[in-house]
Amino acid sequence: MPPLSLYVHIPWCIKKCPYCDFNSHAVKDGAPEAAYIDALLRDLTEDVRRYRITRPIHSIFIGGGTPSLFSPEAFDRLLEGIANQLQLSDAIEITLEANPGTFESQKFAEFRALGINRLSIGIQSFDDKFLQALGRVHSSNEALRSVDIAQQSGFDNLNLDLMFGLPGANKDSAVNDIRTAISLAPAHISFYQLTLEPNTYFHRFPPKLPNDELIFAAQKDCQALLAAHGYAQYEISAYSRPGRQCRHNLNYWQFGDYLGIGAGAHGKISLALPENIVRTFKPRGPEQYLADTHRQGGVQAIDRQELPLEFVMNRLRLKQGFTLDAFTETTGLVSAALEPGLSGNCRQNLLIRQDNRYFCSEKGWDFLDTVLQNFIT
């Protein structure tokens, strides 16, 4: 069976950002911490029982929303409850997403003492003009302060989230943000383009964005700057120091398995290859989730004809691509199931084969949608 991770979703945040399409809800009178931790642990108990989980957990990712709104006491109870039900690997990676507007020295020192050993900080930009345009609740000074507090609290494994293609940006805007991020010496930088997703405020009332040529040029300049400072791109929007890739997200992209608990959380579990690989999902609404977590949600089997596309959609996000052995090991299918997409993409110079490994060419990397389209039968 593939490696197994755990995703925990905490849906509340201080304010709903106009570009955000995640399952997040602005908190009004305080989040129901105790009741939600109870619900998460009931949810986990049901998943462990239903899917007969005995494999060790290699990573935990606590996302949102803004999980850093919760107290250290809440996470202490959550992590203890998880450890009571699951076998945790000795070198487990535990990531917590955090908003710069929620940082307090004592609080984050306690997070670190609980065993949370990786922070992902949603900076988005170090420029107040762009932070205001994005509807963020923090300032550039708070962004800088959050990194300092994290490092002083003992977190040496930091990810900084940054966006490019922002309203009113010029070619130098993203480069300035990347320069600032590099100066703070995080282990990892996530750098992705602002997109206007359906069911968001920005989709209904679109801001004026830079043209595609400017966005592409800024992206290339930033990628060169990151590479020059030792941040290797290993995924479409992820750059890291050597050995500091996000192990949890790598498991997603390598088509590994993961339990998903919390309001709106999704999971993927391999019960038998290839005929019984399932997607799981939980109720999106926090109120519905709190009311009946152990019986709500659903399960959907992945049709074996869809497995090749599901596999390449994930693996080709990675610079290293995949081997045919990896395809067979995670899907249970023979490599012929990848044809004619594999050979067709190679003929078009969208994929490269090297030492029995397939990965995107520079052209394929820029036109990944075309690459994937060739795998649709």
Side-chain angles (χ1 to χ4, degrees):
M1 292 293 110
L4 182 64
S5 297
L6 171 65
Y7 176 74
V8 181
H9 191 75
I10 296 179
W12 293 283
C13 52
I14 298 172
K15 175 188 174 185
K16 181 78 170 180
C17 295
Y19 59 85
C20 178
D21 69 335
F22 295 146
N23 184 33
S24 60
H25 307 264
V27 67
K28 296 177 181 177
D29 302 315
E33 272 193 11
Y36 196 72
I37 297 299
D38 288 341
L40 287 171
L41 295 177
R42 289 198 304 271
D43 192 359
L44 180 61
T45 299
E46 178 64 16
D47 275 4
V48 170
R49 182 199 63 80
R50 177 182 297 177
Y51 305 116
R52 301 178 182 178
I53 300 298
T54 58
R55 285 179 278 167
I57 299 292
H58 294 277
S59 65
I60 299 172
F61 195 103
I62 306 169
T66 304
S68 55
L69 285 173
F70 273 30
S71 68
E73 292 76 19
F75 286 123
D76 186 20
R77 197 156 68 85
L78 173 65
L79 293 173
E80 181 180 5
I82 291 171
N84 286 338
Q85 298 191 55
L86 295 168
Q87 177 188 349
L88 307 183
S89 70
D90 292 338
I92 190 167
E93 174 192 88
I94 304 178
T95 301
L96 177 72
E97 286 189 333
N99 185 303
T102 64
F103 271 72
E104 302 166 13
S105 298
Q106 181 63 33
K107 183 178 185 180
F108 278 79
E110 291 181 38
F111 287 159
R112 185 66 189 90
L114 291 174
I116 296 171
N117 52 22
R118 185 176 184 273
L119 282 185
S120 182
I121 307 177
I123 302 288
Q124 315 313 351
S125 175
F126 289 101
D127 188 314
D128 285 328
K129 173 180 64 179
F130 297 124
L131 291 173
Q132 186 174 7
L134 292 172
R136 301 294 288 173
V137 299
H138 68 274
S139 67
S140 59
N141 284 336
E142 286 176 313
L144 294 170
R145 178 175 172 270
S146 70
V147 177
D148 182 59
I149 289 175
Q151 292 170 335
Q152 294 297 323
S153 299
F155 287 97
D156 66 345
N157 196 359
L158 287 181
N159 169 62
L160 305 184
D161 267 359
L162 294 170
M163 302 176 76
F164 65 96
L166 305 180
N170 57 38
K171 187 178 178 183
D172 295 330
S173 302
V175 171
N176 291 336
D177 277 340
I178 290 295
R179 286 192 188 279
T180 302
I182 290 171
S183 73
L184 300 172
H188 190 286
I189 294 174
S190 295
F191 181 58
Y192 49 94
Q193 183 179 345
L194 171 65
T195 55
L196 307 184
E197 300 292 348
N199 303 315
T200 65
Y201 181 88
F202 271 4
H203 192 264
R204 294 192 300 273
F205 305 99
K208 183 174 176 56
L209 302 179
N211 62 52
D212 291 343
E213 291 78 11
L214 188 149
I215 290 173
F216 185 72
Q219 179 184 8
K220 291 300 182 183
D221 285 351
C222 290
Q223 288 172 337
L225 186 60
L226 286 161
H229 286 82
Y231 290 90
Q233 183 180 21
Y234 67 96
E235 188 267 344
I236 288 176
S237 57
Y239 306 76
S240 78
R241 298 282 197 191
R244 290 305 187 97
Q245 297 92 340
C246 177
R247 297 208 304 269
H248 185 88
N249 287 342
L250 268 179
N251 189 43
Y252 289 159
W253 300 321
Q254 290 171 344
F255 208 51
D257 284 352
Y258 53 97
L259 295 169
I261 61 172
H266 287 240
K268 172 204 168 242
I269 304 295
S270 300
L271 301 171
L273 302 179
E275 67 275 5
N276 198 5
I277 303 174
V278 299
R279 299 281 188 193
T280 68
F281 50 93
K282 306 298 168 63
R284 283 181 58 86
E287 294 80 9
Q288 182 188 9
Y289 180 81
L290 283 164
D292 200 3
T293 58
H294 64 289
R295 289 192 298 183
Q296 296 290 344
V299 181
Q300 183 176 17
I302 303 176
D303 190 287
R304 64 185 297 157
Q305 291 184 331
E306 298 171 359
L307 281 175
L309 180 61
E310 291 263 356
F311 176 86
V312 297
M313 282 177 63
N314 287 278
R315 290 300 295 244
L316 288 179
R317 289 179 65 99
L318 296 171
K319 277 281 189 180
Q320 67 179 19
F322 63 90
T323 64
L324 297 181
D325 286 344
F327 173 71
T328 299
E329 288 167 5
T330 53
T331 66
L333 300 175
V334 297
S335 59
L338 289 170
E339 295 295 354
L342 207 58
S343 56
N345 277 310
C346 288
R347 282 196 302 272
Q348 297 176 55
N349 297 317
L350 296 172
L351 286 184
I352 295 172
R353 179 181 178 180
Q354 188 176 86
D355 297 330
N356 202 34
R357 180 174 295 277
Y358 293 85
F359 55 92
C360 284
S361 64
E362 284 301 316
K363 178 183 175 183
W365 193 255
D366 290 334
F367 297 96
L368 187 56
D369 286 348
T370 302
V371 175
L372 299 178
Q373 186 71 31
N374 289 334
F375 283 98
I376 298 175
T377 58

